[in-house]
Amino acid sequence: MRRSFALVRVPQHVAIIMDGNGRWAQRRGLPRAAGHRAGLSAVRMSIERCMTLGIGVLTIFAFSTENWRRPQAEVGLLMGLFLEALDAEIDELAAQGVCIRFVGARGHLAPALVTRMSEAEVRTQANSRLTLVIAMAYGGRHDIVDAAKRLAIEVKAGTLHPELIDEARFNEQLALHGLPDPDLLIRTGGDHRISNFLLWNLAYTELWFSDRLWPEFSADDFATAVAAFGERQRRYGQTSAQVSDPSC
Ligand code: IPE
Ligand code: IPE
Ligand code: MG
């Protein structure tokens, strides 16, 4: 007997605030760095899930502009881990057809890391199976200010009339330019906040908060979040009746 499956709406773009590494480690009597390392398997799982489900873009928050305020030792360990993880994963990601893009302010990052980031971007730029955006030293407010600054420079140079600045034009100057806004934001770790992630791009994103700590976020948890997204009605300001029947 053939079973028929209802078509489940899958997000095109998933963004994740990967939170809870430190608490995961502390609960086990381990140093916080052990939690960051353990979180890598949840990153691999999320990439794999996206490719399997046909999700085209995955944006992960790896390090925020505010994370620079952490103890120097933790920042140093994190930076070392990013470099190590990039070196360890790049061959496989490239072979799997993942296009890697980094967003964030690279100015304070170690030159060796910045070089590897650029190399990874160049090496994978022709890939199209999944776009993996890694937000590294990223802040949503900084992103918006940067965009405003670039437009102001164009206006000052006389190459852009202020009247021509609209949402689309502004969007083009932001870090995620060329990509659709996230459809679904997942935040693990139990806190219900955005923590200066993609402030502009999350305007109409469906939010999913999980109490799980990032290293223990599983494929089942990911599936639960995606399934919940499929149940949401996205209204964009319209009424429920309008969305169910566009002829309303
Ligand atoms: C998220 O885990 C990773 C980064 C912010 C780099 P945390 O390190 O914030 O873990 P908690 O929130 O302290 O448990
Ligand atoms: C958000 O986590 C940033 C990343 C996951 C990279 P934080 O742990 O830094 O967030 P807050 O400070 O608790 O809001
Ligand atoms: Mg945290």
Side-chain angles (χ1 to χ4, degrees):
M1 191 177 76
R2 277 181 63 183
R3 284 183 67 187
S4 63
F5 292 93
L7 265 182
V8 178
R9 194 157 45 94
V10 169
Q12 246 193 299
H13 183 171
V14 173
I16 308 182
I17 300 177
M18 313 182 288
D19 197 22
N21 294 348
R23 279 164 286 166
W24 181 91
Q26 276 160 352
R27 281 178 199 175
R28 284 160 181 76
L30 299 168
R32 292 177 58 84
H36 296 313
R37 190 171 286 281
L40 282 174
S41 56
V43 175
R44 281 189 214 100
M45 175 281 292
S46 303
I47 293 170
E48 188 275 320
R49 283 290 83 201
C50 285
M51 290 195 289
T52 303
L53 293 169
I55 294 166
V57 187
L58 172 65
T59 299
I60 52 175
F61 205 4
F63 191 86
S64 73
T65 45
E66 288 71 27
N67 289 147
W68 288 116
R69 299 179 184 152
R70 292 195 176 192
Q72 243 182 19
E74 181 169 346
V75 171
L77 280 162
L78 272 168
M79 294 298 154
L81 184 63
F82 293 144
L83 190 60
E84 189 189 317
L86 191 53
D87 281 349
E89 304 292 335
I90 183 66
D91 287 347
E92 171 114 25
L93 291 171
Q96 285 175 325
V98 176
C99 170
I100 301 175
R101 182 160 147 186
F102 288 93
V103 294
R106 302 184 190 196
H108 296 294
L109 298 172
L113 180 57
V114 175
T115 302
R116 296 290 221 300
M117 286 159 60
S118 305
E119 283 169 1
E121 287 178 323
V122 170
R123 180 169 168 193
T124 63
Q125 65 189 353
N127 287 347
S128 57
R129 191 164 169 213
L130 170 72
T131 298
L132 173 65
V133 182
I134 305 176
M136 180 81 85
Y138 175 87
R141 287 184 173 178
H142 181 270
D143 194 3
I144 292 170
V145 168
D146 231 37
K149 223 182 268 180
R150 267 197 291 274
L151 291 171
I153 290 168
E154 281 189 54
V155 169
K156 194 174 174 210
T159 54
L160 175 65
H161 195 281
E163 283 303 318
L164 292 176
I165 301 173
D166 57 10
E167 290 185 14
R169 193 86 177 218
F170 199 90
N171 199 43
E172 278 168 24
Q173 298 299 325
L174 290 162
L176 291 191
H177 62 89
L179 296 172
D181 285 341
D183 299 295
L184 170 66
L185 171 80
I186 297 172
R187 180 176 185 138
T188 61
D191 286 310
H192 297 182
R193 56 177 172 258
I194 301 298
S195 298
N196 200 16
F197 199 23
L198 303 159
L199 297 179
W200 170 283
N201 315 79
L202 294 175
Y204 259 106
T205 300
E206 297 297 325
L207 310 179
W208 175 261
F209 297 102
S210 166
D211 286 336
R212 289 253 207 277
L213 303 172
W214 177 245
E216 64 197 18
F217 194 69
S218 68
D220 279 352
D221 296 325
F222 194 96
T224 302
V226 170
F229 169 82
E231 300 288 312
R232 303 263 180 103
Q233 187 188 49
R234 307 185 77 186
R235 290 189 288 277
Y236 299 99
Q238 291 190 301
T239 67
S240 193
Q242 281 178 300
V243 176
S244 328
D245 177 5
S247 67
C248 271

